[in-house]
């Protein structure tokens, strides 16, 4: 009787095991069917025809075709959103060249002379020159080591399996600042050679030790015709790694100031905030509108784990981001491999996040001219305010100095205590000047050590015998010339649209909330 009972128990266990295995195999088969599409050649033809006949991308259709049978994601949506298969027409290229040329001439004749007269660039403000005006939009990618920064670049360019793909791995692989540029053929460019490029000439000031850690990679690619992509060394919370031999933070600040969009990449395993990351977010202060956070490798998490990690990321970053509206966070897996099955319920979300990121990248290209115009107007306002402040320092000093006083002490007291002489308050009395646009008084402590107050001339002394004064030229540029240049751009676009049928390169026609407004003070 006992033997029969043991046999019955054995058969029951065997039956349960068979049922469990059958359930597992059934689920795997269903998953394979859901993530398998037609063969590559057929799929390519179908996607190509849909690109030609559809003006917008339906996210659910993209997600259904995003996984290929060989474990690679389809890239058609990248080409569609970034318009990599569309070449700008000659009229568009002429318009860009014409507007930027006029903007450069306006800067050289109306803004630069006043800046040079009062040594504006020694105030540690962003330097603007013709190289900056004609520079391509820049995408800056930063974050902790081994979070997928280089993989993201390889994915956007579709070079993951090419010999010139950026090195990736679980260990730190990027120790240089790498600038991805367009070129006729693939080649690497040494930092000293890249610094001869007018767009990157200013990097020479960080010394030869930095130039040895700077590298350019030229690739013939339609995306790099539209923008430069900069990969940065991963942040490592290690004192030994912090000793880089060059001013790392100053270099980061240079790229941050000039980037059109900044992608800070994290992954679920690297959410801790250390001193290096705190310094990075301090450098990002004032540029929060350009920052996008990427939570990469999210397909390794279940939906419940993803929710917890997302909350932990915001918890870690909240002390570092002192703005009312937090930066946009993109969640996904930004490389060519198909999504991990553990995150199958999140697949649609990941696809929507990726499309939104691509639209952000496209907008910095479509808004290139407007942003350059906004940059020059912002620079003109800063130059004007600086000249007015220096002129007021000079006026007060000349009023207070005397042959019976130690004028050196008068100058030092004036620099240390400008509030007692109402220097900044006097400048704020001018129309259209905001206190938020004035440099902090501390910056002038160092500035006047380089250029003593007595070395400057009053504003009136810079006026020519004929023609407007330099300050009047800058004011006219701020209020008349630059806005009229923007209006000319819009009118020319409307003309091209009506006469040539070329109505711009926007992926969609919704209003761009990230576009800089050149009609307001920065």
């Amino acid at each position: 009787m006992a033997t029969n009972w043991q046999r019955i128990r054995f058969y029951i266990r065997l039956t349960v095991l068979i049922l469990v295995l059958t359930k597992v195999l059934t689920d795997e088969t269903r998953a394979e069917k859901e993530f398998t599409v037609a063969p590559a050649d057929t799929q390519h033809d179908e996607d190509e025809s849909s690109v030609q006949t559809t003006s917008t991308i339906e996210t659910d259709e993209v997600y259904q075709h995003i996984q290929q049978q060989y474990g690679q994601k389809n890239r058609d949506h990248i080409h569609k959103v970034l318009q990599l298969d569309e070449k700008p027409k000659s009229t568009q290229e002429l318009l860009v060249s014409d507007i930027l040329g006029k903007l450069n001439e306006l800067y050289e004749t109306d803004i630069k002379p006043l800046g040079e007269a009062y040594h504006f660039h020694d105030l540690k403000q962003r330097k603007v020159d013709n190289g900056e005006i004609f520079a391509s939009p820049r995408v800056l990618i930063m974050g902790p080591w081994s979070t997928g920064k280089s993989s993201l670049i390889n994915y956007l360019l579709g070079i993951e399996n090419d010999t010139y793909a950026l090195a990736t791995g679980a260990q730190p692989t990027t120790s240089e600042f790498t600038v991805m540029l367009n070129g006729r053929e693939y080649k690497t460019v040494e930092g000293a050679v890249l610094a001869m490029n007018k767009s990157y000439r200013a990097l020479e000031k960080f010394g030869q030790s930095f130039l040895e850690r700077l590298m350019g990679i030229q690739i013939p690619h339609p995306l790099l015709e539209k923008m430069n992509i900069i990969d940065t060394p991963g942040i490592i919370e290690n004192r030994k790694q912090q000793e880089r031999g060059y001013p790392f933070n100053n270099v980061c600040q240079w790229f941050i100031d000039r980037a059109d969009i900044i992608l800070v990449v994290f992954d679920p395993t690297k959410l801790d905030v250390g001193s290096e990351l705190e310094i990075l977010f301090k450098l990002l202060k004032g540029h929060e509108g350009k920052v996008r956070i990427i939570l990469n490798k999210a397909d390794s998490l279940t939906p419940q784990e993803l929710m917890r990690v997302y909350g932990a990321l915001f918890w870690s970053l909240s002390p570092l981001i002192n703005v009312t509206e937090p930066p946009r966070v993109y969640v996904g897996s930004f490389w060519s491999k198909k999504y991990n099955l553990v995150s199958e319920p999140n697949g649609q979300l990941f696809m929507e996040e990726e499309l939104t990121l691509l639209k952000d990248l496209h907008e910095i290209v479509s808004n290139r001219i407007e942003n350059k115009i906004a940059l020059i107007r912002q620079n003109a306002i800063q130059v004007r305010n600086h000249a007015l402040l220096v002129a007021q320092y000079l006026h007060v000093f000349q009023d207070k100095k005397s042959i019976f006083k130690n004028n050196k002490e008068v100058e030092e007291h004036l620099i240390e205590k400008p509030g007692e002489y109402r220097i900044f308050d006097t400048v704020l009395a001018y129309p259209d000047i905001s206190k938020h646009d004035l440099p902090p008084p501390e910056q002038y402590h160092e500035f006047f050590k380089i250029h003593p107050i007595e070395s400057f001339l009053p504003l009136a002394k810079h006026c020519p015998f004929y023609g407007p004064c330099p300050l009047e030229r800058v004011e006219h540029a701020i209020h008349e010339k630059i806005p009229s240049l923007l209006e000319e751009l819009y009118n020319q676009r409307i003309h091209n649209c009506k006469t040539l049928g070329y109505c711009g390169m926007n992926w969609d026609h919704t209003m761009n909330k990230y576009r800089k407004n050149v009609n307001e003070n920065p």
Side-chain angles (χ1 to χ4, degrees):
M1 187 69 179
T3 303
N4 291 336
W5 178 244
Q6 290 176 352
R7 289 177 180 175
I8 292 172
R9 292 175 62 185
F10 170 79
Y11 287 126
I12 291 174
R13 290 178 179 176
L14 181 62
T15 303
V16 172
L17 179 60
I18 292 173
L19 290 174
V20 171
L21 291 175
T22 303
K23 177 73 166 57
V24 171
L25 291 174
T26 302
D27 290 343
E28 289 182 355
T29 304
R30 185 182 301 121
E32 284 186 7
K33 289 181 178 179
E34 291 178 356
F35 283 87
T36 303
V37 297
D41 294 339
T42 304
Q43 184 64 31
H44 175 74
D45 295 338
E46 292 177 356
D47 288 341
E48 188 173 9
S49 63
S50 67
V51 167
Q52 296 173 354
T53 59
T54 308
S55 61
T56 59
I57 293 180
E58 297 293 340
T59 306
D60 55 346
E61 293 179 4
V62 174
Y63 177 60
Q64 289 172 6
H65 299 289
I66 201 65
Q67 312 276 3
Q68 289 187 346
Q69 61 188 26
Y70 299 109
Q72 299 290 314
K73 288 194 286 190
N74 187 298
R75 292 180 46 81
D76 287 349
H77 63 295
I78 297 179
H79 283 254
K80 174 69 176 180
V81 178
L82 297 178
Q83 299 183 349
L84 301 185
D85 298 326
E86 296 186 17
K87 295 293 183 180
K89 295 186 178 182
S90 57
T91 53
Q92 175 70 5
E93 293 176 339
L94 288 174
L95 177 60
V96 171
S97 177
D98 179 55
I99 296 296
L100 293 182
K102 291 179 179 179
L103 188 64
N104 181 62
E105 181 181 0
L106 184 152
Y107 171 76
E108 292 286 341
T109 58
D110 294 346
I111 302 172
K112 186 177 179 180
L114 185 63
E116 290 181 341
Y118 288 90
H119 301 287
F120 171 74
H121 296 317
D122 290 329
L123 194 63
K124 297 182 179 179
Q125 297 290 322
R126 176 179 177 179
K127 183 178 180 180
V128 176
D129 53 24
N130 59 352
E132 189 67 23
I133 292 173
F134 291 100
S136 298
R138 296 186 179 102
V139 179
L140 180 63
I141 302 180
M142 314 181 80
W145 62 278
S146 193
T147 54
K149 299 186 297 297
S150 300
S151 296
L152 171 60
I153 296 175
N154 290 338
Y155 177 52
L156 290 174
L157 298 177
I159 59 173
E160 289 171 300
N161 299 320
D162 294 336
T163 56
Y164 43 84
L166 297 179
T168 60
Q171 72 285 357
T173 55
T174 303
S175 59
E176 299 91 8
F177 284 82
T178 306
V179 181
M180 308 296 292
L181 307 157
N182 185 59
R184 295 182 179 179
E185 59 182 3
Y186 167 77
K187 68 176 181 179
T188 58
V189 181
E190 297 293 331
V193 178
L194 181 62
M196 298 180 189
N197 185 313
K198 59 183 180 181
S199 298
Y200 296 97
R201 189 180 303 150
L203 290 172
E204 288 183 315
K205 66 181 181 181
F206 299 116
Q208 291 300 315
S209 58
F210 164 68
L211 294 181
E212 293 176 0
R213 291 294 185 181
L214 175 67
M215 179 176 66
I217 298 181
Q218 289 187 351
I219 301 176
H221 196 282
L223 180 59
L224 297 179
E225 292 178 4
K226 301 171 182 285
M227 63 179 68
N228 292 168
I229 304 177
I230 298 100
D231 192 15
T232 59
I235 295 173
I236 301 178
E237 301 295 343
N238 184 315
R239 182 171 297 276
K240 200 170 192 179
Q241 294 292 337
Q242 294 173 11
E243 300 170 359
R244 302 178 187 265
Y246 62 90
F248 176 75
N249 294 334
N250 293 339
V251 174
C252 287
Q253 188 69 70
W254 189 93
F255 280 106
I256 288 170
D257 290 342
R258 288 156 182 80
D260 292 86
I261 190 170
I262 303 167
L263 306 180
V264 185
V265 185
F266 294 88
D267 77 9
T269 65
K270 297 180 179 65
L271 302 179
D272 294 337
V273 176
S275 58
E276 285 274 276
L277 200 58
E278 287 183 6
I279 293 174
L280 170 62
F281 275 88
K282 287 181 180 178
L283 299 177
L284 292 173
K285 187 175 181 181
H287 301 278
E288 290 86 358
K290 301 189 293 187
V291 175
R292 309 289 186 271
I293 306 294
I294 293 181
L295 180 56
N296 201 10
K297 306 179 185 179
D299 64 333
S300 62
L301 304 172
T302 64
Q304 186 177 18
E305 291 172 336
L306 178 59
M307 182 175 62
R308 292 175 178 172
V309 168
Y310 190 87
L313 176 62
F314 264 100
W315 178 265
S316 299
L317 298 182
S318 58
L320 309 180
I321 306 174
N322 297 319
V323 292
T324 305
E325 184 177 346
R328 179 73 164 84
V329 178
Y330 301 105
V331 180
S333 179
F334 298 92
W335 63 350
S336 65
K337 292 186 179 180
K338 66 180 183 180
Y339 300 135
N340 194 320
L341 288 179
V342 73
S343 65
E344 179 182 349
N346 296 326
Q348 184 81 5
L349 169 65
F350 294 162
M351 192 65 248
E352 292 174 353
E353 294 284 280
E354 186 170 319
L355 289 174
T356 306
L357 172 61
L358 293 173
K359 288 175 67 176
D360 264 2
L361 293 178
H362 173 69
E363 283 178 350
I364 70 169
V365 176
S366 61
N367 300 329
R368 174 189 176 188
I369 305 180
E370 289 92 334
N371 290 342
K372 296 295 184 184
I373 293 174
L375 168 66
I376 296 304
R377 187 171 188 272
Q378 181 185 43
N379 179 260
I381 291 172
Q382 292 172 340
V383 168
R384 177 200 63 184
N385 295 350
H386 169 67
L388 290 173
L389 282 170
V390 173
Q392 186 61 26
Y393 271 103
L394 178 63
H395 172 75
V396 173
F397 175 72
Q398 290 178 339
D399 184 58
K400 297 297 181 182
K401 73 176 183 177
S402 168
I403 59 174
F404 303 106
K405 296 180 182 179
N406 185 336
N407 291 328
K408 185 64 176 175
E409 292 181 356
V410 172
E411 181 180 16
E412 291 177 354
H413 188 265
L414 175 61
I415 295 171
E416 290 294 329
K417 305 289 184 181
E420 294 183 9
Y421 302 94
R422 299 183 58 81
I423 290 177
F424 282 75
D425 292 338
T426 303
V427 173
L428 286 173
Y430 284 82
D432 302 325
I433 293 183
S434 168
K435 65 179 181 180
H436 303 291
D437 293 334
L438 298 182
E442 293 76 21
Q443 286 194 13
Y444 286 97
H445 297 173
E446 296 296 325
F447 178 78
F448 286 124
K449 288 180 180 178
I450 303 173
H451 305 287
I453 293 179
E454 279 193 302
S455 66
F456 293 98
L457 295 175
L459 284 167
K461 294 291 185 180
H462 292 283
C463 295
F465 189 75
Y466 293 106
C469 299
L471 181 62
E472 294 174 349
R473 283 182 171 273
V474 173
E475 290 282 7
H476 187 63
I478 293 171
H479 299 292
E480 300 292 338
K481 286 191 174 182
I482 296 178
S484 65
L485 196 60
L486 184 65
E487 185 177 357
E488 178 184 346
L489 170 66
Y490 289 154
N491 291 338
Q492 189 61 46
R493 282 178 174 171
I494 293 172
H495 174 75
N496 291 344
C497 180
K498 291 181 177 179
T499 59
L500 304 175
Y502 183 67
C503 300
M505 298 182 63
N506 286 335
W507 182 71
D508 61 12
H509 301 285
T510 57
M511 182 178 294
N512 173 20
K513 64 180 179 180
Y514 302 113
R515 178 177 293 164
K516 297 174 183 176
N517 188 350
V518 300
N519 294 318
E520 297 179 359
N521 288 343

